[in-house]
Amino acid sequence: MSTKAAEGTAPLATRQRRRRMPPELSIFLVLVGIALIYEALGWMFIGQSFLMNSQRLTIMILQVSVIGIIAVGVTQVIITGGIDLSSGSVVGMTAMIATSFAQSSTWGRAVFPSLTDLPALVPIMIGLLIGAAAGLANGALIAYTKIPPFIATLGMFVSARGVAKWYTKGQPVSGITEQFHFIGTKAWPVVVFLVVALIFHIALRYTRYGKFTYAIGANPQAARVSGINIEAHLVKVYVIAGLLAGLAGIVTAARAETAQASMGVGYELDAIAATVIGGTSLTGGVGRITGTVIGTIILGVMTSGFTFLRIDAYYQEIVKGFIIVAAVVIDVYRQKKRRKH
């Protein structure tokens, strides 16, 4: 082989290796780096280990599991080029309504005294249906009236929170059955999160549903020309996002053993942050569930780390905002670089 041929082959081989490298690897390395920084700061300022405390890590994983469930749905919405601002409010609405059908007869202030001690499947199905209905409303408005996703889901954000407050006139719903509470005990929230992530990882990567979702986000005109019913598929994606927000509301209420109208406040922003940090492009057409899972864990590590270092909660929100902006800036830079090549 000539010297010139060797010079031409080496960069090509390097580019091929880079292409084979999973995009989540860089995000995972960021996660490792953040964890190691907290570990070093812990020994320097607190005199304790951040990573070697199993109780802290367990609490962290349990806390982010609900955000992760929502983020799986939000990821699919953003891949289509949309956005969902309503998921946090849908969590509060579904938590209130589902829990009202999960109350025990031993609780003296049941919302529906004649509908107590129901099997756990009943409130679960009601919560999922409520979430799916919210997603259906979002999807139908976006697909058939051409309202921008930001406006449509912002309307649901306000309306769902209003329903949550109106449902019991702002009073919390407590006294749930042991069956319903079981969903939120031990590691079950994490199990639910991982199962949901696995299902939709497979769906996006190996099914026609996933191909259509990516195609719509990458180029809606080309997707329509290729025979994809964009309107019907968008409705499907938003229904799934609403369904998962409803599931998150059920898990949240079961874990807390009560439901309050304020549940889920800010969850939509955390889910979007986890999705963007995980490598999903806000311009659509790019994103993976595996990246979202890592992005969710990054958020959890950061929040847990701030608490570990006894940093004020207000600073946590400030830093989280900077991280979201930084992730978007990196995404814009990445998209420009991809278009040049």
Side-chain angles (χ1 to χ4, degrees):
M1 182 184 290
S2 66
T3 305
K4 188 177 288 186
E7 289 174 354
T9 306
L12 178 61
T14 303
R15 287 198 300 270
Q16 287 175 341
R17 281 197 299 272
R18 285 175 182 170
R19 285 171 188 164
R20 285 197 296 268
M21 186 182 296
E24 293 82 2
L25 180 59
S26 60
I27 306 166
F28 179 74
L29 292 176
V30 170
L31 170 61
V32 172
I34 292 172
L36 292 176
I37 289 171
Y38 279 130
E39 179 71 11
L41 291 175
W43 285 114
M44 289 171 60
F45 297 108
I46 310 294
Q48 296 178 13
S49 171
F50 174 71
L51 294 173
M52 295 299 113
N53 189 317
S54 59
Q55 184 178 5
R56 180 184 299 110
L57 296 179
T58 301
I59 293 171
M60 180 198 74
I61 295 296
L62 285 170
Q63 287 175 337
V64 301
S65 58
V66 170
I67 299 299
I69 294 169
I70 300 169
V72 170
V74 170
T75 298
Q76 297 170 71
V77 167
I78 294 179
I79 288 173
T80 66
I83 197 76
D84 188 357
L85 299 176
S86 67
S87 51
S89 296
V90 172
V91 166
M93 178 175 67
T94 54
M96 292 291 288
I97 296 174
T99 306
S100 69
F101 291 94
Q103 291 182 290
S104 170
S105 57
T106 58
W107 186 253
R109 291 174 293 165
V111 177
F112 303 111
S114 60
L115 294 174
T116 54
D117 294 327
L118 296 173
L121 185 61
V122 174
I124 291 172
M125 292 304 299
I126 290 172
L128 292 177
L129 286 172
I130 294 296
L136 177 63
N138 283 335
L141 283 171
I142 293 163
Y144 296 109
T145 69
K146 308 305 177 185
I147 294 176
F150 180 90
I151 300 301
T153 59
L154 181 62
M156 182 57 69
F157 166 87
V158 177
S159 298
R161 187 64 65 189
V163 170
K165 295 175 180 177
W166 160 84
Y167 190 68
T168 59
K169 304 298 185 288
Q171 297 299 313
V173 182
S174 304
I176 63 174
T177 62
E178 285 299 320
Q179 267 192 340
F180 187 75
H181 173 52
F182 179 77
I183 307 164
T185 59
K186 298 180 181 178
W188 283 111
V190 181
V191 171
V192 172
F193 168 39
L194 294 178
V195 169
V196 165
L198 178 62
I199 289 171
F200 286 101
H201 169 72
I202 294 170
L204 282 178
R205 193 156 188 194
Y206 301 107
T207 69
R208 189 170 64 169
Y209 168 81
K211 291 184 177 69
F212 286 4
T213 301
Y214 284 109
I216 291 170
N219 192 325
Q221 290 75 22
R224 192 180 296 280
V225 169
S226 65
I228 298 174
N229 187 333
I230 293 178
E231 288 75 20
H233 192 80
L234 282 177
V235 170
K236 191 182 299 183
V237 170
Y238 279 93
V239 166
I240 289 171
L243 187 77
L244 293 179
L247 177 59
I250 293 165
V251 172
T252 301
R255 186 164 174 251
E257 297 186 72
T258 186
Q260 298 182 16
S262 60
M263 277 183 166
V265 171
Y267 282 15
E268 64 283 337
L269 298 181
D270 286 343
I272 292 170
T275 301
V276 174
I277 291 169
T280 300
S281 174
L282 287 172
T283 58
V286 176
R288 291 190 182 188
I289 298 298
T290 46
T292 296
V293 171
I294 299 172
T296 302
I297 297 173
I298 287 176
L299 274 185
V301 168
M302 288 180 54
T303 303
S304 180
F306 277 125
T307 304
F308 169 64
L309 296 174
R310 301 185 180 94
I311 296 175
D312 197 294
Y314 298 116
Y315 294 114
Q316 297 181 26
E317 299 300 321
I318 294 170
V319 172
K320 192 183 294 181
F322 277 119
I323 288 172
I324 295 172
V325 173
V328 174
V329 170
I330 291 170
D331 174 59
V332 170
Y333 173 76
R334 191 190 302 129
Q335 295 305 317
K336 286 182 179 178
K337 192 174 180 181
R338 184 180 289 116
R339 282 194 290 269
K340 285 180 181 178
H341 293 287

